[in-house]
Amino acid sequence: MWSKLPHIVLKYRLALMILLLLFTVFMGYMARDVKMAFNFNTAVPETDENYKYFQDFKKNFGEDGNILVLGMKDSSLYELENFNKYEALNKKLQKVEGITNVISLATLQNITKNQDNRSFELSPLVGKSPTSQAELDSLMAVALNLKFYSGQLMNVKNGATLILITMDREVLNSKLRNDVVGEIQGIGKAFSADTGIELHYSGMPFVRTVMQEMTAKELKLFIVLSIAITALILFLFFRSWTAVVFPLIVIGVVVTWVMGTLGILQYNINVLTGLIPSIIIVIGIPNSIYLLNKYHQDFAKHGNKMKALSLMIRKIGLVTFITNFTTAIGFLVLVTTDITLLKEFGLVAGINILATFVVSMVLIPGIFSYLPAPKPAQLKHLEFKITGRMLTLLDLLVHRHRYRVFAITIVVLGVSLYGVSKLYSVAYMVDDIPEESKLKQDLYFFENNFSGVMPLEIIIDFGKPRSSLNARNLRKVERLEIGLDSIDFVSQPISIVSFAKAIRQAYYNGDSNRYSLPSPSDRNAILNYLSNQKDEDGLLNSFVDTTGQVLRVSLKIWDLGSVKMDSLITQVVEPRIDEVFGDDEDVHTSVTGSTLLFVKGNKFLIENLQMSLLLAFGIIAIIMAILFANLRMIIISMVPNLIPLILTAGIMGYFGIPLKPSTALIFSIAFGISVDDSIHFLAKYRQELFANKFFVPIAISKSIKETGSSMLYTSIVLFFGFVIFVFSDFGGTVALGLLTSLTLLFAMMTNLTVLPALLMVFDSGKRDTNFRPLIEHYEFYIEDEDEEIDTQSLLIKSNDPFVGSTDKDNKDS
């Protein structure tokens, strides 16, 4: 079947290209509704217990990450003119569509006792704008006296204060979020320009918006950069615009298919899927390089364009398919994970890497069959002196110094393995953002003044309705809060206990000394007031579920990184919970929230990526076994591709680059790509063995000189193609690009030195003439078969002077 492929592709090339064009139009149509991701993506599978706790929490209490925070620390805020402008700022924020609540010093609600109705009421602290500095100072004194807000809205030590902006859930997970955040920033900038007071922004909605906008911006940047760099390299190699434009058309088609695939599968563009177009551009170009290089090599031998195109498909078509398949494996194995983010990335990338083969095999032969035959100037790249000298040096190195190659490789591996021992894993909620960025600096502001903004929730289920309001249980919760409040990097807890203390303070007309849980002597009187209370503002529901059985204790913590955060939760927070409630069998507690899911999700990501790498390794080993049917050849082919992974891991260890989702991706991606060089080299090597009477040294030399140039070209394209990611503002993307580039560069070197050296030492060249493995069945042929190709049967009647030209015509052209 494979031998008929050249005839099918070339004879029906026009129909195939039209079909391809129509399908591309369809994919472009399907891509029209692809949107950026706005929802919170967690790496924790839906079956996980913590994930279920979090979903239950959201049903009872709503989102924990829907608060955008504005902060400021400027004494001039407490001057009359600026405070009134601050009050106006709050009123403007309250009018923004999509904002459900704004809490600040200017909108502070004070709990007061209404003796006439024997109930408690909420009244604004600032009823009307103060008209004098003395009036403002009096209001601020009252605000400082409200212990409920101390540490939550105000830092009493340095005067820093917050504006807490609650965002509607529907807006939070939609495109409208960006518009709302943009409007908030616009209002904030106007306030800063008018008062000179600097505002700091943070909170999950703001962080997610900034990172999503950065992703959208980088998606466009990387597509432009990857096209520009590949076009430049192609032109430098081939010195022909046709060898630049048409490979880029191939890539343009596949990128359209990528966006169409996202549309068909109804996936959104996130931080990972946003990288796929650029990755496809970089990975897809080597197909064109191998095909065009082979086309030019064969045309240089006999001058027949159609014959050269036919041989191009026949000689390396299957190898190109296998290399695309092994590359796709590096992505498709991610589908086996339980993590939606990785599944979507792996599936879309894997499908379209395979699609790159189809598009390349139709368009490259089809388009070049209609173009003029290559001119001598377009074939000069076959005789690049620099490339020739480099390959000659590599050939001499392998033949004369192969044991030195082994020795140096072993030493480098030993040094790298020591670096691997230093490798560690960590990730941050606000990950990969440059230290000097406004987002990161603002985060530090909130950590230093308010113990952070990352939400953490403790859920306590007392087992019986209304039992959370039991005096004994409230005292236990208070005891827990005292223990939590003493922990570094954790904010003062807030819960129904805080509310109960504020109620008692209100009952005693705002006396701050009375900010404590109701005592036996005043409990009944306070409960009598509460019985007349209508929870119109949902205050109780913010702390306790509708049954009164489950309550929440809300905390904010620093963005400590996954390692310290995990240690903080498992070794400090959870033990303190157990100290208080561990002996009570009826009480069930759990720690939940976006922060905890992130910590656990990071572990899941790393573990799943490690399993994916092992799975990719196993599948590719099986492919090698099918192709070569020789255990020794499988080992020989794998070794040169494992060495680069160890070298990269060693570099990460030495330079303190942590293992996290973005950097863990490097290994499965790079392994899938780097093994392509081994397949190309070994396929050519097997051909040369038969052509040179199974004499290994000559087969090695010819393989290096013919396949080596394509390996050099593709490796350079891949290196610079992935290097473009260093222009990212995300540290993880920078590491992904740089380390993948280095890994692929190492892989090229090992496949041109270690691989042939291993063949020289461990392969005798002898073959069982009665058994031909798959690679020989499809790839091996004798030179005489070249003459038997009926080029006339490949032609379509046409007025094109270049279609159907004879050997002599092609030579003359």
Side-chain angles (χ1 to χ4, degrees), residues 343-563:
K343 280 185 176 180
E344 293 180 358
F345 174 68
L347 183 61
V348 175
I351 288 173
N352 286 282
I353 287 168
L354 292 174
T356 305
F357 167 77
V358 176
V359 177
S360 301
M361 295 306 293
V362 171
L363 290 186
I364 293 296
I367 291 173
F368 280 86
S369 70
Y370 287 106
L371 293 176
K375 297 178 181 179
Q378 295 173 317
L379 302 177
K380 284 186 177 180
H381 69 91
L382 298 174
E383 300 174 357
F384 273 160
K385 291 182 179 180
I386 295 176
T387 305
R389 287 173 184 170
M390 186 178 297
L391 294 176
T392 299
L393 282 172
L394 290 172
D395 188 33
L396 290 172
L397 181 68
V398 168
H399 282 80
R400 298 181 182 179
H401 307 287
R402 51 187 176 274
Y403 291 105
R404 291 183 181 178
V405 169
F406 295 151
I408 293 171
T409 302
I410 290 170
V411 170
V412 172
L413 275 176
V415 174
S416 299
L417 287 170
Y418 179 71
V420 172
S421 67
K422 295 176 173 289
L423 197 59
Y424 65 97
S425 172
V426 68
Y428 292 84
M429 288 285 284
V430 182
D431 207 358
D432 303 332
I433 302 295
E435 284 294 316
E436 65 277 6
S437 70
K438 183 74 165 57
L439 180 62
K440 204 66 172 281
Q441 293 303 312
D442 281 355
L443 179 65
Y444 293 150
F445 169 85
F446 292 104
E447 289 179 344
N448 293 328
N449 291 284
F450 295 96
S451 297
V453 293
M454 299 306 168
L456 188 69
E457 301 283 347
I458 298 172
I459 303 301
I460 306 171
D461 184 343
F462 289 98
K464 296 178 182 178
R466 301 193 61 81
S467 56
S468 63
L469 301 177
N470 178 284
R472 174 175 171 273
N473 289 336
L474 288 179
R475 285 196 298 273
K476 281 194 170 187
V477 175
E478 180 185 35
R479 183 178 152 205
L480 171 63
E481 290 187 1
I482 292 170
L484 295 174
D485 194 26
S486 63
I487 302 173
D488 291 335
F489 316 119
V490 175
S491 71
Q492 179 180 317
I494 186 168
S495 70
I496 188 64
V497 169
S498 312
F499 180 68
K501 290 179 178 180
I503 287 291
R504 187 170 189 262
Q505 182 180 357
Y507 180 76
Y508 288 103
N509 301 313
D511 183 356
S512 60
N513 293 322
R514 301 285 188 162
Y515 184 75
S516 60
L517 286 174
S519 64
S521 60
D522 57 27
R523 187 180 303 136
N524 289 334
I526 292 173
L527 286 174
N528 185 38
Y529 269 73
L530 282 173
S531 65
N532 299 320
Q533 186 71 29
K534 293 182 179 179
D535 191 25
E536 295 176 352
D537 296 296
L539 285 175
L540 283 174
N541 290 339
S542 298
F543 302 114
V544 183
D545 76 338
T546 54
T547 67
Q549 177 174 316
V550 181
L551 67 77
R552 68 189 286 198
V553 178
S554 296
L555 305 165
K556 296 290 187 292
I557 64 174
W558 284 40
D559 187 11
L560 297 170
S562 55
V563 176

Side-chain angles (χ1 to χ4, degrees), residues 5-104:
L5 186 62
H7 296 270
I8 295 171
V9 170
L10 292 172
K11 189 169 184 178
Y12 302 103
R13 58 193 181 276
L14 183 59
L16 288 171
M17 286 193 288
I18 292 172
L19 187 63
L20 209 64
L21 175 63
L22 293 174
F23 187 72
T24 303
V25 171
F26 167 73
M27 294 299 275
Y29 176 77
M30 295 306 298
R32 74 195 188 285
D33 293 328
V34 176
K35 300 179 179 66
M36 298 298 298
F38 293 95
N39 57 311
F40 175 70
N41 289 307
T42 175
V44 179
E46 295 180 4
T47 54
D48 181 75
E49 191 176 61
N50 287 108
Y51 182 86
K52 292 177 181 178
Y53 282 144
F54 186 54
Q55 297 309 308
D56 290 340
F57 167 82
K58 289 200 291 186
K59 287 178 183 177
N60 288 325
F61 303 107
E63 294 280 350
D64 71 329
N66 64 337
I67 297 177
L68 189 149
V69 188
L70 270 64
M72 60 203 80
K73 186 173 73 172
D74 194 318
S75 59
S76 67
L77 173 68
Y78 303 103
E79 296 172 3
L80 181 63
E81 183 180 357
N82 281 343
F83 187 85
N84 286 333
K85 290 177 180 178
Y86 170 75
E87 186 184 8
L89 165 69
N90 282 266
K91 290 179 179 177
K92 289 179 182 178
L93 292 173
Q94 286 175 322
K95 293 178 181 178
V96 175
E97 190 173 351
I99 298 301
T100 58
N101 198 12
V102 176
I103 302 175
S104 72

Side-chain angles (χ1 to χ4, degrees), residues 673-685:
I673 298 172
S674 65
V675 80
D676 294 355
D677 283 343
S678 296
I679 293 172
H680 275 289
F681 188 91
L682 290 170
K684 182 61 182 173
Y685 170 67

Side-chain angles (χ1 to χ4, degrees), residues 34 257-269 273 276 348:
V34 176
W257 289 19
V258 168
M259 303 308 292
T261 306
L262 289 171
I264 291 170
L265 297 175
Q266 297 184 343
Y267 293 165
N268 293 326
I269 298 174
T273 53
I276 295 176
V348 175

Side-chain angles (χ1 to χ4, degrees), residues 281-310:
I281 292 170
V282 175
I283 292 176
I285 285 295
N287 277 4
S288 298
I289 291 177
Y290 275 111
L291 291 170
L292 289 177
N293 213 35
K294 193 63 183 171
Y295 167 50
H296 288 170
Q297 286 173 353
D298 283 325
F299 182 82
K301 291 178 182 177
H302 46 66
N304 186 312
K305 181 178 70 174
M306 298 304 292
K307 181 178 178 180
L309 290 170
S310 178

